[in-house]
């Protein structure tokens, strides 16, 4: 702590300790009390400020509504809502009330902690007083309601706002339009759009983006395009991010003609396509195997002095692989290497294509190439290769890769863990499968029912019934909930080992959960029970 901070702290402590002695002399000096509270607040001594305010209002010092407004504002700013409400409740008996600005601050702060009950109470109190929140407070509350999908409540608050004489602005309409589109109420959203335009409010970039994106997500592409074209015609200055968002929306829905038309209109609106714009089109062209267009676009980017980045090249690699043009994909990897743009994603794309074509040996060689080119593989790389090796039956090589991966401080994700457990169980490496399952839990990777069933299947086949029962009971208590496969495995194993009482108990639990036991297993269990009862 520097000397300035120490002196400020000492001064505030001095003020605090001197307050009781000064109380009788300050009783009739409201301005002095205010100054003292202000100094405490500025120094961050909120508790001392509260103590001072309490002593002020309990003294003979004259206190006015403005003092409560200022102090409640301080408490709200520091999220001391319980105390703020305490003082708020003491105001009416004294004939005091909060002003609109303080109410607005209070409501806005309560939005941050999502205290809907208190917000509604403050709004009701304001209506009784004939007071109306500022538009920014309304907008903050409406935004929260839309984020929480409370659209009907938001519409009610909007109507209340208008009835109370507070005019909606572009921000208000943008919030409601976005919220309505999010829940699929496009017709109502369009009504709000038209109402905004009729009021003479000029939709801004955010309003256009909210409306068009919402309509695109809802499949209303033609309407979205008409609104977009109309906004541009009316001179709405859309930002480059606004254009890119809308182009992405149209590409996502396969409306490439509309996306290209918007790109062509960008210059008229004072915007030029940037790297993001080109990458959106590259993604679409490559995904749709329009590779000639993608190649021409790459050339145009370079001619426009917009250098294709790592993402650009990786999209092209992905398109080439999808079109089975591996020869050209290899050449592109070399180009990327010379430009310093190669990464694990580039290799993963080609390796995945090789593995899907059952060319695992070439994929492994490409994996080795990564090492001497200085590109570190990631979990996805190992997952692709190990899955392919397992399918090929080369478990030893797959587990060597697993050891290499963990040696690089990489741990498999849930998908790879499940694959590993399943393969280890199939190759009778139950202990290693159990160890991996335990590692998953230690690494906070929550196994799903597929992973649990894979291990349970291995335990049952290895006649480790006790361990299988423990796993089942853990699933039943902690999750994931057993499914039909789980019950079939555990009941089948219990029947096989003639543990009929346990089998019947779990069969009952199975039926309670609405599952039906496999016919072969149920008939065998019934036959064994009847045989047991026969003298």
């Amino acid at each position: 702590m520097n000397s300035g901070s120490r002196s400020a702290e000492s001064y505030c402590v001095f003020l605090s300790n001197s307050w009781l002695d000064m109380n009788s002399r300050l009783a009739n000096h409201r301005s002095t009390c205010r100054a003292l509270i202000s100094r405490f607040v500025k120094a961050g001594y909120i508790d001392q400020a509260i103590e001072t305010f309490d002593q002020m209002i309990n003294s003979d010092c004259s206190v006015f509504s403005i003092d409560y407004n200022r102090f409640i504002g301080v408490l709200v700013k520091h999220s001391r809502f319980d105390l703020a409400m305490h003082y708020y409740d003491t105001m009416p008996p004294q004939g005091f009330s909060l002003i609109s600005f303080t109410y607005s601050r209070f409501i806005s702060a309560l939005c941050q902690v999502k205290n809907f009950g208190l917000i509604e109470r403050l709004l009701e109190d304001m209506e009784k007083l004939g007071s109306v929140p500022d538009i920014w407070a309304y907008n903050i509350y409406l935004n929260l309601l839309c984020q929480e999908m409370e659209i009907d409540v938001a519409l009610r608050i909007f109507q209340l706002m208008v009835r109370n004489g507070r005019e909606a602005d572009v921000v208000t309409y943008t919030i409601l339009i976005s919220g309505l589109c999010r829940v699929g109420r496009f017709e109502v959203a369009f009504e709000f759009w038209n109402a905004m335009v009729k009021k003479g409010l000029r939709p801004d970039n955010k309003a256009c983006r909210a409306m068009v994106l919402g309509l695109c997500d809802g499949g209303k592409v033609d309407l979205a395009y008409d609104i977009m074209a109309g906004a541009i015609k009316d001179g709405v200055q859309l930002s480059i991010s606004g254009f890119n968002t809308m182009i992405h929306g149209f590409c996502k829905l396969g409306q490439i003609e509309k996306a290209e038309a918007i790109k062509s209109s960008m210059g008229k609106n004072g915007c030029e396509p940037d790297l993001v714009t080109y990458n959106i089109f590259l993604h679409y062209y490559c995904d749709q195997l329009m590779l000639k267009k993608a190649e021409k676009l790459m050339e145009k980017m370079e001619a426009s002095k917009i250098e294709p980045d790592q993402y650009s090249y990786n999209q092209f690699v992905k398109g080439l692989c999808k079109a089975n043009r591996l020869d050209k994909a290899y050449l592109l990897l070399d180009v990327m290497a010379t430009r310093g743009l190669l990464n694990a994603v580039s290799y993963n794309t080609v390796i995945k294509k090789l593995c899907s074509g059952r060319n695992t040996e070439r994929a492994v060689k490409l994996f080795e190439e990564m090492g001497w080119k200085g590109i570190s593989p990631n979990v996805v790389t190992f997952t692709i290769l190990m899955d392919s090796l397992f399918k090929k039956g080369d478990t030893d090589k797959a587990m060597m890769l697993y050891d290499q991966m963990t040696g690089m401080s990489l741990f498999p994700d849930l998908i790879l863990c499940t694959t590993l457990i399943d393969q280890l169980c199939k190759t009778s490496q139950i202990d290693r499968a159990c160890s991996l399952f335990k590692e998953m839990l230690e690494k906070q990777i929550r196994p799903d029912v597929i992973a649990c069933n894979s291990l349970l299947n291995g335990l049952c086949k290895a006649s480790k019934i006790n361990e299988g029962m423990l796993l089942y009971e853990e699933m039943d208590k902690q999750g994931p909930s057993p499914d039909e496969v789980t019950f079939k495995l555990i009941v089948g194993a219990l029947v096989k080992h003639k543990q009929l009482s346990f089998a019947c108990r779990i069969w009952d639990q199975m039926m309670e959960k609405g599952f039906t036991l496999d016919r072969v297993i149920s008939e065998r269990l019934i036959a064994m029970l009847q045989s047991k009862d026969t003298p």
Side-chain angles (χ1 to χ4, degrees), residues 216-232:
C216 282
D217 286 342
K220 307 283 185 180
V221 182
D222 293 333
L223 182 57
Y225 183 76
D226 290 342
I227 288 175
M228 174 82 181
I232 293 171

Side-chain angles (χ1 to χ4, degrees), residues 53-257:
F53 186 77
D54 280 338
Q55 293 180 15
M56 182 179 77
I57 61 177
N58 291 319
S59 69
D60 295 331
C61 182
S62 299
V63 181
F64 296 95
S65 182
I66 190 172
D67 297 304
Y68 278 94
N69 272 273
R70 286 177 176 172
F71 196 62
I72 287 174
V74 168
L75 294 172
V76 164
K77 183 179 178 181
H78 289 85
S79 302
R80 306 287 286 269
F81 299 118
D82 290 341
L83 270 175
M85 286 305 298
H86 164 72
Y87 291 117
Y88 174 76
D89 288 334
T90 65
M91 292 178 70
Q94 302 178 68
F96 298 152
S97 65
L98 295 182
I99 59 173
S100 175
F101 179 72
T102 310
Y103 267 120
S104 297
R105 287 182 66 188
F106 208 160
I107 290 167
S108 301
L110 289 170
C111 285
Q112 294 176 13
V113 294
K114 300 181 182 180
N115 193 329
F116 296 101
L118 279 183
I119 293 169
E120 288 295 326
R121 181 189 161 185
L122 293 180
L123 287 173
E124 288 172 9
D125 290 350
M126 289 187 79
E127 192 159 16
K128 290 173 185 175
L129 292 168
S131 181
V132 183
D134 293 324
I135 187 62
W136 50 267
Y138 268 124
N139 287 342
I140 290 170
Y141 186 35
L142 287 171
N143 189 53
L144 173 62
L145 290 168
C146 289
Q147 285 177 353
E148 296 294 310
M149 303 297 182
E150 295 287 348
I151 303 300
D152 289 329
V153 180
L155 294 175
R156 176 177 62 78
I157 295 298
F158 174 79
Q159 291 166 358
L160 176 68
M161 181 184 86
V162 173
R163 188 172 69 243
N164 288 339
R166 187 66 72 195
E167 287 290 329
D169 60 11
V170 171
V171 176
T172 316
Y173 282 106
T174 302
I175 290 166
L176 289 170
I177 288 167
S178 181
L180 286 162
C181 287
R182 201 177 297 134
V183 296
R185 295 171 69 172
F186 303 110
E187 291 182 4
V188 183
F190 192 53
E191 287 174 11
F192 271 92
W193 174 274
N194 288 332
M196 174 173 60
V197 174
K198 284 179 183 177
K199 282 182 176 290
L201 294 171
R202 192 174 182 179
D204 61 8
N205 177 49
K206 287 184 179 179
C208 291
R209 179 175 173 176
M211 188 71 216
V212 173
L213 266 186
L215 291 172
C216 282
D217 286 342
K220 307 283 185 180
V221 182
D222 293 333
L223 182 57
Y225 183 76
D226 290 342
I227 288 175
M228 174 82 181
I232 293 171
K233 185 179 178 182
D234 290 340
V236 175
Q237 293 296 313
L238 295 174
S239 67
I240 186 68
S241 64
F243 273 109
N244 288 338
T245 302
M246 302 203 207
I247 288 170
H248 178 262
F250 288 120
C251 284
K252 188 178 176 183
L253 290 167
Q255 299 288 328
I256 189 63
E257 297 84 4

Side-chain angles (χ1 to χ4, degrees), residues 19-34 36-37 50-64 67-68 87 94 96:
W19 166 249
L20 290 172
D21 295 334
M22 296 166 62
N23 187 42
S24 59
R25 287 177 285 155
L26 294 177
N28 296 313
H29 299 284
R30 179 166 52 92
S31 59
T32 309
C33 299
R34 283 179 174 175
L36 189 58
I37 291 169
I50 293 167
E51 184 182 351
T52 306
F53 186 77
D54 280 338
Q55 293 180 15
M56 182 179 77
I57 61 177
N58 291 319
S59 69
D60 295 331
C61 182
S62 299
V63 181
F64 296 95
D67 297 304
Y68 278 94
Y87 291 117
Q94 302 178 68
F96 298 152

